[in-house]
Amino acid sequence: MEINGFLKNNYQIRCLKTEKDMKIISRGITVFFLLLGCMICFANDGSFRVRGNQLIPMYETDISVTKEILSIRRINKRQAEVSVYYEFYNPKESKEIEVGFEALSPQGDVDTRPVNGQHPYIDQFSVIMNDVAVPYKVAIVNDSLYYKNGKYKSMKPDEILKELDESEMDIGFFYVYHFRALFKKGLNIIRHKYVVDLSTSVLENYSFDYVLTAAGRWANKQIDDFTLQIDMGNFQDLTIETTFFKNNGEWKLSGRGKQIERIENRDRKKNDDAEFFIQNGVLSFEKKNFKPVGELYIHSYNNYFFDANHSYPSDNRFNYKRDLLPFSVDSQDQIDTPANELSKTILKNLPFARRGYVFKSPELKAYYEKQNWYNPDPAYVPELNQLTKSEQEWFRKISEYKN
């Protein structure tokens, strides 16, 4: 059953993510990340809220990371839960060392003030070591050499206020969540968890960064057995930069979806990023003797309207002859009104196309087979009451539209 529909996509899928685009549009203010020597850029139209990080020793140690399972799960439209399972090996007698978690300050069009002395966009931070909850403290620092002779070089409250007053969106300090960890001889298990607010911008529905290379601070300079699990929900369009992996063939999806190489700029001297259209399931990456050479960057790109010549047409309505449609359910509300009846029919069938419905109509079949995310499923039978609540509301809105 094909649904005669309505609505228009005022834009084709436009994923501006060349290096120039990201530096100028998405990240316009340069910030020096003292901890890792990174340069990160933001702009007034973007809100960078937090960057995740590995647990790190505050000084040289002979303790190794033998296993890590990093899980990132989106729990609502704007937040994700990060949970990490570590197995450490201590070859010597029991020892207590200082361990830290570094978090960059928020930047851009966002409230940058600390909350109760902690990062404003990190919540429910916890560490459990060998089944015992470990208390932690937070230091706000602005010096890469913030830990010396067993003490933290923390900023004073008046220094923080001065920095906030003078810097506006470009904040120079960062946060260190630190705790004393007693490593017994042999195997030690740490379970680490926190909730973060996802970053957003004009270009992105959301994004999240996580520092992987800090794992090299442990004795073995690698993670012997590494697993990364990403669950951002159903009907999501995710792009992951090829920084620590070579191609999307190194990823596995437990559910149903489609993955492609995202061709953005063939002149770039780097691999194309991996793009995943996830209908359902968990995306995972596994690696033995993992020596990360880059960080994790997850993007769910927003969609912008442009015609086949990449210029903005005077007619903003969705025209099936010119415009593409987004896979992500988060982008559907940006779709504008349809230019004609066939465009309306195509739009009304979008929720069913996401699920792989095999169209019998030649026009719908031809249109959706051109979408790079379309993944036919002959077994799928469309039922309106099986759509998500937001899709049902969107469908009713389309149905009421009159050209």
Side-chain angles (χ1 to χ4, degrees):
M1 175 182 67
E2 294 171 14
I3 311 297
N4 289 319
F6 131 113
L7 200 61
K8 139 154 199 206
N9 177 355
N10 226 17
Y11 53 94
Q12 271 193 335
I13 294 181
R14 184 185 187 187
C15 297
L16 298 176
K17 207 180 80 48
T18 63
E19 291 176 357
K20 181 179 179 181
D21 289 325
M22 288 304 290
K23 289 180 180 178
I24 295 178
I25 301 176
S26 179
R27 296 173 178 174
I29 301 174
T30 302
V31 180
F32 182 48
F33 190 13
L34 294 169
L35 316 184
L36 302 172
C38 303
M39 299 302 293
I40 306 174
C41 303
F42 309 97
N44 293 348
D45 55 7
S47 299
F48 174 84
R49 292 182 173 86
V50 73
R51 191 182 204 193
N53 203 337
Q54 298 272 334
L55 295 183
I56 56 171
M58 292 293 99
Y59 45 81
E60 289 271 339
T61 182
D62 45 20
I63 297 171
S64 299
V65 188
T66 56
K67 186 173 184 176
E68 177 182 347
I69 302 174
L70 168 61
S71 300
I72 301 168
R73 181 175 65 91
R74 191 169 172 228
I75 56 176
N76 56 52
K77 197 168 184 178
R78 291 302 176 209
Q79 289 184 310
E81 179 187 77
V82 180
S83 60
V84 195
Y85 170 88
Y86 292 99
E87 290 184 2
F88 293 95
Y89 182 74
N90 177 16
K92 299 182 178 180
E93 296 303 315
S94 295
K95 62 160 54 173
E96 189 176 62
I97 68 171
E98 190 79 8
V99 176
F101 169 91
E102 302 166 337
L104 187 66
S105 281
Q107 307 287 339
D109 187 14
V110 67
D111 191 343
T112 58
R113 293 169 295 181
V115 175
N116 297 323
Q118 300 190 29
H119 196 290
Y121 301 108
I122 291 179
D123 193 20
Q124 302 176 41
F125 187 94
S126 67
V127 177
I128 297 176
M129 183 170 188
N130 296 326
D131 296 324
V132 177
V134 179
Y136 66 89
K137 297 180 180 180
V138 180
I140 300 178
V141 300
N142 62 355
D143 187 339
S144 60
L145 302 177
Y146 60 81
Y147 186 75
K148 189 174 182 181
N149 298 324
K151 294 183 179 181
Y152 288 88
K153 188 179 179 181
S154 299
M155 297 178 67
K156 297 178 181 179
D158 59 331
E159 294 175 325
I160 295 172
L161 290 175
K162 183 179 179 181
E163 174 74 20
L164 290 169
D165 290 340
E166 294 179 352
S167 302
E168 295 183 354
M169 291 180 296
D170 187 1
I171 306 303
F173 60 76
F174 53 93
Y175 300 78
V176 182
Y177 289 65
H178 56 94
F179 56 92
R180 299 293 295 177
L182 177 61
F183 287 86
K184 64 183 180 181
K185 184 176 182 179
L187 176 66
N188 293 265
I189 294 175
I190 290 182
R191 290 179 173 88
H192 170 45
K193 184 181 293 186
Y194 56 97
V195 172
V196 298
D197 283 23
L198 298 167
S199 299
T200 56
S201 74
V202 174
L203 292 180
E204 300 166 328
N205 293 318
Y206 58 85
S207 66
F208 179 67
D209 302 345
Y210 189 90
V211 177
L212 296 170
T213 56
R217 300 192 191 187
W218 294 94
N220 51 343
K221 309 300 181 184
Q222 66 175 31
I223 304 166
D224 297 345
D225 183 358
F226 177 72
T227 299
L228 169 60
Q229 300 173 333
I230 299 173
D231 180 4
M232 292 299 186
N234 295 341
F235 305 109
Q236 296 296 307
D237 178 353
L238 300 180
T239 296
I240 302 177
E241 296 185 25
T242 50
T243 54
F244 61 91
F245 62 99
K246 294 181 179 179
N247 56 67
N248 61 3
E250 297 181 65
W251 293 82
K252 295 180 181 179
L253 178 62
S254 63
R256 178 173 171 78
K258 186 177 181 181
Q259 53 194 63
I260 63 173
E261 284 189 350
R262 196 160 177 274
I263 310 298
E264 295 160 351
N265 185 348
R266 294 183 181 276
D267 296 328
R268 290 189 307 167
K269 296 181 180 179
K270 71 184 289 293
N271 293 333
D272 294 305
D273 297 332
E275 186 169 15
F276 304 89
F277 304 107
I278 301 173
Q279 183 172 325
N280 58 69
V282 177
L283 195 60
S284 62
F285 170 86
E286 299 179 5
K287 193 81 171 180
K288 302 290 186 183
N289 301 317
F290 182 50
K291 297 180 175 66
V293 294
E295 318 304 357
L296 170 64
Y297 301 107
I298 303 172
H299 308 272
S300 175
Y301 283 103
N302 210 331
N303 300 294
Y304 285 80
F305 180 52
F306 64 106
D307 63 14
N309 296 318
H310 301 281
S311 61
Y312 290 89
S314 57
D315 178 11
N316 286 335
R317 297 186 298 167
F318 169 75
N319 190 325
Y320 77 93
K321 295 180 180 180
R322 177 192 62 209
D323 303 327
L324 301 175
L325 283 173
F327 176 76
S328 173
V329 71
D330 291 339
S331 298
Q332 68 185 15
D333 289 336
Q334 302 167 36
I335 303 174
D336 208 340
T337 53
N340 49 57
E341 280 300 316
L342 182 52
S343 295
K344 176 179 176 177
T345 301
I346 286 172
L347 285 171
K348 200 169 182 180
N349 279 277
L350 174 58
F352 306 104
R354 283 193 189 109
R355 292 159 172 79
Y357 179 62
V358 178
F359 295 98
K360 298 178 180 63
S361 162
E363 293 84 2
L364 270 64
K365 179 180 174 64
Y367 178 82
Y368 277 110
E369 286 183 347
K370 292 178 182 178
Q371 311 305 302
N372 60 355
W373 51 261
Y374 182 60
N375 188 16
D377 180 5
Y380 173 66
V381 177
E383 294 184 31
L384 185 60
N385 62 1
Q386 295 299 312
L387 302 181
T388 66
K389 182 179 179 181
S390 65
E391 286 177 306
Q392 290 184 43
E393 292 173 353
W394 186 76
F395 181 88
R396 284 191 288 269
K397 176 183 174 183
I398 294 173
S399 300
E400 295 169 358
Y401 179 77
K402 303 295 183 182
N403 278 323

